[in-house]
Amino acid sequence: MVIVNEAGQTTVSDFNENGSMPAYGFIERKQHVEIPVPTPNKDEVLVKLEAISLNPVDWKMQKGVMRPLFPHKFPYTPGTDVAGEVIGVGSDVKNIKTGDKVVAILSLATGGGLAEFAVAKENLTVARPPEVSAAEGAGLPIAGLTAHQALTQSAGVKLDGSGKQANILITAASGGVGHYAVQLAKLGNTHVTATCGARNIEFVKSLGADEVLDYRTPDGAALKSPSGRKYDAVIHCATGIPWSTFEPNLSANGKVIDITPGPISLLTFAIKKLTFSKQQMVPLLVTRDGENLDYLVKLVKEGKLKTVIDSKHPLSKAEDAWDKSIEGHSTGKIIHVEIPVPTPNKDEVLVKLEAISLNPVDWKMQKGVFRPLLPMKFPFVPGKSLSPLVLSNCLKMIAFDETISTDVAGEVVEVGSDVQKFKAGDKVVAMLNQINGGGLAEFAVAKESFTFARPPEISAAEGAGLPLAGLTAHQALTQSAGIKLDGSGQQKNVLVTAASGGVGHYAVQLAKLAKSHVTATCGARNIELVKSLGANEVLDYKTPDGATLKSPSGRKYDVVIHCATVIPWSTFEPNLSEYGKVIDITPPPTAMLTYYLHKLMFPKKQLVPIHLKAKGENLNYLVKLMEEGRLKTVMDSKHPLSKVEDAWAKSIDGHATGKIIVEP
């Protein structure tokens, strides 16, 4: 399946007359944001992309399946197989010039294809003749090279037909690699048996397969050749087939060449090597080779090889392409995505973002921690309160299913037809939908009911820090603990753990508004900060008293706002007053078990997990407290959107002091 950039949506400026790139350049999208164009190094070319092909390795990289073999920093833009037009060349490039139509393969470690512009090494960029469309060319690199290497290097097939005849089995023959493997094998002197689903049997026969098995039938599951042949080589493009199924179908020196080897395949490979078996399992590690890519492009030009395109998708509908790739049943090839400026619904406002605050829930959603409770479709953009995935190369984010992150501040640029309180130009703080995210971007839409005026006294960064963390602290104290923040209630002894963190530093300040006695825990380096927020006594959590949570003044806690992790109920219980409550803002399974046990046993002391129920009126209240100088956002650090991976890593590290802010 291939996604092709829509014509006429970009303009390019600041290129030198010879087509090389100056120090900086920009692209402007009519439906998007201004995005820096990557600058080619001296041995690279800059390509305006016309088509991008998806491969299973793309979503596996995005999900971290390939780590630590291929580590990558957030944001990671998927996509390596591209086709387009050269618009800039590095100083050492000799064989390619501006205006050339090309096919290229990008680095797997750095990706970059799911964008409108990408840089590619000259030695991995080949000319694309007029007979080869961008979509056909983009389908070739990884899938075509995988099929080529498996047949020629691993199986020893000579594609000019000069070799000894071999019997080849190709599993999943209607897929990306498989459909190329069938065609290339037939160029050699081979008899091809293939497996696929029933709906693709005639299609695979049309590619040249001599016999085709429906993998769901008994013979198909057993991989038995209808003509009784034994296979000299298997190009194994499927998954979940054990060695015991292959072995009886192999010739004496037969090989199974596994293009996506898992741990079991690698173990089989090692055993066969150690036992000097004639029949072998061969895991394939593809070598990117510009010469072989050029050979494949020429075969397409000559009509000897074709790219079967499952479907084409505009970048605005890239999630359909992504889902189809993950599903694993595409016929032929797939491609990808841009993130357009969202359009507000009638009850929404469109905000040009000035600051985005990260929360731990963002990277937890990106890693799938909350599935199946909070399922998301690709692409998910963090920052909608969180939300891989990631901005595309254009935004230096991988397009997740949506954009992670929900806590934002900025300026209203458009309003829906039913919006009454806001107009273009208003400065606001907003909380985006936690399921959809959307904050790690340059524009986002927010419900009017969760958007509030941001007075001049509050900076964008200060406002963006408030929503999720501030509302969590507010709900824990007022609803779960029953504390009145106007100070009219009974004074209570409150313990706040991880008091220098995102929720904790707000909880300390809000508890002091209620005239509570606040004990707090934090690391040694933050003790003075937490005292400055109003805490009456502060414990270093690494000391013996800090680890046991004992109040220096000997107080028992009526309320614990528990913002840390890995503290068992047995540590809290002796420090609680008769009716003390531990309010856990991120309850793990052990905490939930304790909670349900308490529900059954009715003890006076209780653990209470919190599930945030965001209310616009409460966020408005927090904004007003900040305007009055009675609440402040402590900022750990600020990061430009182009370096969002640094902010992401800091959030995952878990030792931020206050809030982590990203600024577009």
Side-chain angles (χ1 to χ4, degrees):
M1 144 164 84
V2 179
I3 298 179
V4 182
N5 292 344
E6 298 174 3
Q9 288 195 338
T10 62
T11 60
V12 182
S13 62
D14 296 336
F15 287 92
N16 295 328
E17 290 182 3
N18 64 0
S20 64
M21 280 291 295
Y24 300 95
F26 296 93
I27 62 172
E28 249 180 30
R29 304 186 190 210
K30 294 179 181 178
Q31 298 179 356
H32 207 281
V33 293
E34 189 175 88
I35 302 162
V37 174
T39 301
N41 292 325
K42 61 183 181 179
D43 61 343
E44 294 177 329
V45 298
L46 176 65
V47 183
K48 184 180 186 299
L49 302 183
E50 298 171 10
I52 310 101
S53 172
L54 287 186
N55 296 286
V57 71
D58 294 323
W59 59 262
K60 290 178 181 178
M61 286 281 286
Q62 184 258 316
K63 289 178 178 291
V65 174
M66 311 297 287
R67 292 180 178 174
L69 294 177
F70 292 102
H72 57 267
K73 295 189 296 182
F74 179 88
Y76 176 75
T77 306
T80 60
D81 296 6
V82 301
E85 180 178 328
V86 174
I87 59 171
V89 298
S91 58
D92 288 355
V93 173
K94 303 299 183 186
N95 300 315
I96 300 173
K97 64 183 185 302
T98 300
D100 285 352
K101 297 288 189 178
V102 295
V103 174
I105 182 170
L106 311 181
S107 164
L108 184 61
T110 56
L114 286 180
E116 291 202 24
F117 296 85
V119 290
K121 294 286 187 183
E122 180 186 18
N123 63 350
L124 293 175
T125 304
V126 301
R128 175 169 57 86
E131 296 86 349
V132 181
S133 72
E136 290 172 323
L140 276 173
I142 284 185
L145 288 173
T146 299
H148 181 275
Q149 184 174 322
L151 287 162
T152 60
Q153 296 180 41
S154 300
V157 174
K158 294 184 178 181
L159 300 189
D160 62 3
S162 63
K164 180 182 177 181
Q165 187 185 55
N167 294 317
I168 303 291
L169 169 66
I170 299 170
T171 62
S174 61
V177 175
H179 88 285
Y180 286 130
V182 171
Q183 298 175 77
L184 292 173
K186 289 308 296 179
L187 292 177
N189 188 16
T190 65
H191 179 280
V192 175
T193 304
T195 71
C196 64
R199 69 186 176 93
N200 287 319
I201 288 177
E202 293 307 315
F203 160 66
V204 173
K205 285 181 179 178
S206 75
L207 297 175
D210 298 284
E211 47 192 23
V212 184
L213 295 165
D214 177 355
Y215 73 93
R216 288 192 174 98
T217 64
D219 281 348
L223 304 178
K224 291 182 178 179
S225 163
S227 59
R229 297 169 187 262
K230 298 293 185 180
Y231 309 121
D232 301 303
V234 178
I235 310 302
H236 182 34
C237 309
T239 57
I241 302 177
W243 174 258
S244 58
T245 303
F246 291 116
E247 190 171 26
N249 295 296
L250 296 177
S251 62
N253 295 295
K255 294 180 179 179
V256 176
I257 301 157
D258 194 338
I259 71 165
T260 55
I264 296 175
S265 290
L266 294 173
L267 178 60
T268 304
F269 163 70
I271 292 172
K272 295 298 176 185
K273 280 289 185 184
L274 291 172
T275 58
F276 301 99
S277 171
K278 291 182 179 180
Q279 295 178 329
Q280 291 188 352
M281 170 70 76
V282 181
L284 185 69
L285 179 61
V286 179
T287 303
R288 297 179 304 144
D289 187 302
E291 184 178 341
N292 291 336
L293 180 57
D294 187 48
Y295 171 75
L296 295 175
V297 171
K298 288 177 179 175
L299 287 179
V300 175
K301 175 187 175 182
E302 295 165 4
K304 296 178 180 180
L305 182 68
K306 65 180 178 180
T307 296
V308 175
I309 300 171
D310 178 278
S311 51
K312 294 184 180 181
H313 302 256
L315 287 177
S316 59
K317 295 292 185 181
E319 66 272 20
D320 297 336
W322 199 256
D323 286 343
K324 198 167 185 67
S325 180
I326 292 175
E327 181 189 11
H329 294 289
S330 61
T331 300
K333 291 296 300 176
I334 308 179
I335 309 184
H336 210 330
V337 184
E338 97 185 335
I339 303 175
V341 173
T343 301
N345 293 324
K346 61 182 181 180
D347 60 343
E348 294 178 330
V349 297
L350 175 65
V351 182
K352 186 178 190 303
L353 303 183
E354 298 172 8
I356 307 107
S357 172
L358 290 186
N359 296 288
V361 70
D362 293 329
W363 59 262
K364 290 178 181 178
M365 282 189 73
Q366 184 257 316
K367 287 179 177 289
V369 173
F370 298 109
R371 292 182 177 174
L373 295 177
L374 294 178
M376 1 174 252
K377 293 190 297 182
F378 180 90
F380 182 74
V381 181
K384 291 178 179 182
S385 218
L386 156 22
S387 230
L389 228 37
V390 182
L391 302 173
S392 75
N393 199 28
C394 313
L395 290 177
K396 297 303 286 180
M397 280 178 69
I398 190 174
F400 281 117
D401 237 17
E402 297 283 349
T403 323
I404 306 174
S405 262
T406 58
D407 297 4
V408 302
E411 181 177 318
V412 174
V413 294
E414 186 180 343
V415 300
S417 58
D418 288 354
V419 171
Q420 303 296 324
K421 295 188 298 182
F422 299 102
K423 65 184 184 303
D426 286 349
K427 298 290 188 177
V428 295
V429 173
M431 184 175 186
L432 311 182
N433 181 287
Q434 283 185 293
I435 302 299
N436 296 330
L440 285 179
E442 294 201 27
F443 293 85
V445 290
K447 292 287 187 184
E448 181 183 22
S449 57
F450 277 94
T451 304
F452 299 93
R454 174 168 57 87
E457 295 86 351
I458 302 175
S459 70
E462 290 171 323
L466 266 180
L468 191 61
L471 287 172
T472 300
H474 182 276
Q475 182 174 321
L477 287 162
T478 60
Q479 296 181 44
S480 301
I483 291 175
K484 295 183 178 180
L485 299 189
D486 62 4
S488 62
Q490 181 182 0
Q491 187 187 59
K492 294 189 178 183
N493 295 319
V494 176
L495 169 66
V496 180
T497 62
S500 60
V503 175
H505 88 283
Y506 287 128
V508 170
Q509 297 174 76
L510 292 174
K512 289 307 296 179
L513 291 179
K515 300 180 181 179
S516 302
H517 181 280
V518 176
T519 304
T521 71
C522 64
R525 68 186 175 93
N526 288 319
I527 288 176
E528 293 307 315
L529 166 69
V530 174
K531 285 182 178 178
S532 75
L533 297 176
N536 301 90
E537 47 193 22
V538 184
L539 295 165
D540 176 356
Y541 73 92
K542 290 181 178 175
T543 63
D545 282 349
T548 58
L549 304 178
K550 290 182 178 178
S551 164
S553 59
R555 296 169 186 262
K556 298 293 185 180
Y557 308 121
D558 303 305
V559 176
V560 178
I561 307 300
H562 182 34
C563 308
T565 56
V566 199
I567 300 178
W569 172 255
S570 58
T571 302
F572 290 116
E573 190 173 25
N575 295 296
L576 296 176
S577 63
E578 184 179 4
Y579 292 95
K581 289 183 179 180
V582 175
I583 300 161
D584 195 334
I585 70 164
T586 55
T590 52
M592 295 304 297
L593 178 60
T594 302
Y595 166 69
Y596 287 120
L597 288 174
H598 287 172
K599 281 288 187 182
L600 292 171
M601 299 170 64
F602 303 103
K604 294 179 179 179
K605 300 177 182 181
Q606 291 189 350
L607 185 142
V608 180
I610 188 172
H611 174 62
L612 179 62
K613 297 178 181 177
K615 293 183 178 180
E617 63 193 67
N618 292 338
L619 180 55
N620 190 41
Y621 171 75
L622 295 176
V623 171
K624 288 181 178 177
L625 286 180
M626 187 168 284
E627 180 185 9
E628 296 165 2
R630 301 166 69 191
L631 183 67
K632 66 179 180 180
T633 296
V634 173
M635 280 172 272
D636 176 278
S637 52
K638 294 182 181 180
H639 306 261
L641 188 57
S642 61
K643 294 290 185 181
V644 70
E645 68 269 24
D646 297 335
W648 201 256
K650 198 167 186 65
S651 180
I652 292 174
D653 180 59
H655 295 286
T657 300
K659 298 295 297 178
I660 299 167
I661 304 297
V662 176
E663 295 177 324

